[in-house]
Amino acid sequence: MSASKSYLERSKLHSNPTAKAFLELMERKKSNLSVAADLTSKHALIELADKVGPYICLLKTHIDVVDDFDQDLVDQLTALAKKHDFMIFEDRKFADIGNTVKLQYSSGVYKIASWSDITNAHTVPGEGIIQGLREVGLPLNRCLLLLAEMSSAGTLAKGDYTTTTVELARKYKDFVVGFIAMQRYEDRDGDDFIYMTPGVGLDQTSDGLGQQWKHPREVIYDRGCDVIIVGRGIYGNGRDAAKEAKRYQEAGWNAYLERIK
């Protein structure tokens, strides 16, 4: 089972160069923490990225909520990624037909494929969405996560939807490297997908708006996932973002070390 192996061991089995580099980064930095930077101003996003950068393996953005987005924001974020040794994940959740997502990924205001190492997609439209994103991303050494499950109450991403999503990932392993999921699925035929789990918290279990939080140890050790995604638990309500990021980094990493013993 791949969950019992170290990130470094697993990196040697990946054909996608970004997935390989990401697993190596996690081991090198001793971090499986991704911060969900859902902020609406350029200044706040850059400031947060700089504060949490030393502790994270991945910065997750929703770039279309930034009111004053410009190319300078992209330039600064990519510079911070290099400075602090983390990757960038634009949480775009593509959900349209293949030709449309090609344009959304490569063009428009955001030109996501030009700067985001990782992005993600729903599989509701069928495999054409993967094919479209793959045509743009694969030549740029980008990679894709599929939304197999979500952390919100009442989600429809479950059951047959999840099963079909996993099958599609297996078909396009050169580009699809993992899932947004609440648990690790059974490995088959040399599978080694990267599992990223949102809705992680050390101090709360719910926000009253449908989000349900799980403890880092439950996600990494009990459920066998690889990356904890944390947002408001790190920077919400006036928290010291750097201090909280370090706390979550340690919790996630300790759970990982316990898992691979």
Side-chain angles (χ1 to χ4, degrees):
M1 183 179 175
S2 57
S4 63
K5 298 176 182 175
S6 72
Y7 296 135
L8 188 60
E9 287 176 300
R10 291 168 59 192
S11 73
K12 295 168 183 169
L13 305 175
H14 273 269
S15 60
N16 182 284
T18 298
K20 189 181 189 70
F22 180 63
L23 289 163
E24 290 171 349
L25 184 162
M26 291 167 72
E27 189 76 29
R28 177 172 67 247
K29 202 170 179 183
K30 294 182 170 50
S31 176
N32 50 21
L33 170 64
S34 171
V35 167
D38 300 340
L39 300 169
T40 59
S41 84
K42 172 182 170 180
H43 174 75
L45 180 52
I46 291 168
E47 185 177 53
L48 177 67
D50 201 21
K51 284 181 179 178
V52 303
Y55 311 105
I56 65 174
C57 60
L58 191 66
L59 182 74
K60 185 175 83 68
T61 60
H62 280 297
I63 209 67
D64 56 357
V65 307
V66 180
D67 294 327
D68 50 349
F69 171 85
D70 58 13
Q71 183 58 41
D72 181 62
L73 170 59
V74 169
D75 294 343
Q76 291 201 55
L77 286 179
T78 52
L80 286 172
K82 187 173 182 180
K83 171 185 173 183
H84 292 302
D85 194 20
F86 62 79
M87 287 192 179
I88 300 175
F89 165 26
E90 168 52 21
D91 187 5
R92 177 61 177 77
K93 296 186 178 76
F94 291 101
D96 218 315
I97 62 171
N99 188 64
T100 301
V101 298
K102 278 178 64 176
L103 298 173
Q104 291 172 327
Y105 191 27
S106 64
S107 307
V109 176
Y110 303 114
K111 297 178 178 58
I112 294 165
S114 71
W115 53 268
S116 180
D117 302 291
I118 303 169
T119 192
N120 59 352
H122 292 284
T123 55
V124 173
E127 67 182 287
I129 190 170
I130 301 172
Q131 293 167 340
L133 294 169
R134 182 176 177 274
E135 283 185 24
V136 175
L138 200 59
L140 298 172
N141 289 332
R142 305 308 188 196
C143 59
L144 182 69
L145 304 173
L146 296 180
L147 283 116
E149 296 175 287
M150 296 184 73
S151 60
S152 51
T155 178
L156 301 179
K158 58 186 177 181
D160 289 344
Y161 171 87
T162 301
T163 301
T164 302
T165 298
V166 173
E167 290 305 316
L168 287 172
R170 288 178 172 136
K171 188 173 180 179
Y172 295 96
K173 280 201 220 180
D174 60 341
F175 185 54
V176 179
V177 302
F179 305 101
I180 301 296
M182 300 299 106
Q183 61 193 324
R184 177 176 291 275
Y185 311 127
E186 186 177 353
D187 293 337
R188 195 184 79 190
D189 300 330
D191 286 351
D192 189 6
F193 292 109
I194 298 168
Y195 290 79
M196 302 195 187
T197 304
V200 177
L202 283 167
D203 306 311
Q204 286 181 274
T205 58
S206 174
D207 68 351
L209 293 173
Q211 179 64 294
Q212 304 168 103
W213 284 301
K214 293 161 289 299
H215 192 277
R217 188 181 184 278
E218 179 186 351
V219 170
I220 301 293
Y221 180 80
D222 295 336
R223 301 189 180 208
C225 296
D226 298 309
V227 177
I228 55 173
I229 301 175
V230 187
R232 288 167 283 173
I234 283 178
Y235 59 83
N237 298 321
R239 288 183 172 91
D240 181 332
K243 181 180 177 182
E244 292 299 318
K246 188 174 188 297
R247 189 163 75 107
Y248 275 89
Q249 178 200 14
E250 290 173 350
W253 193 256
N254 286 338
Y256 158 71
L257 291 178
E258 188 179 357
R259 187 180 84 190
I260 63 169
K261 276 183 181 177

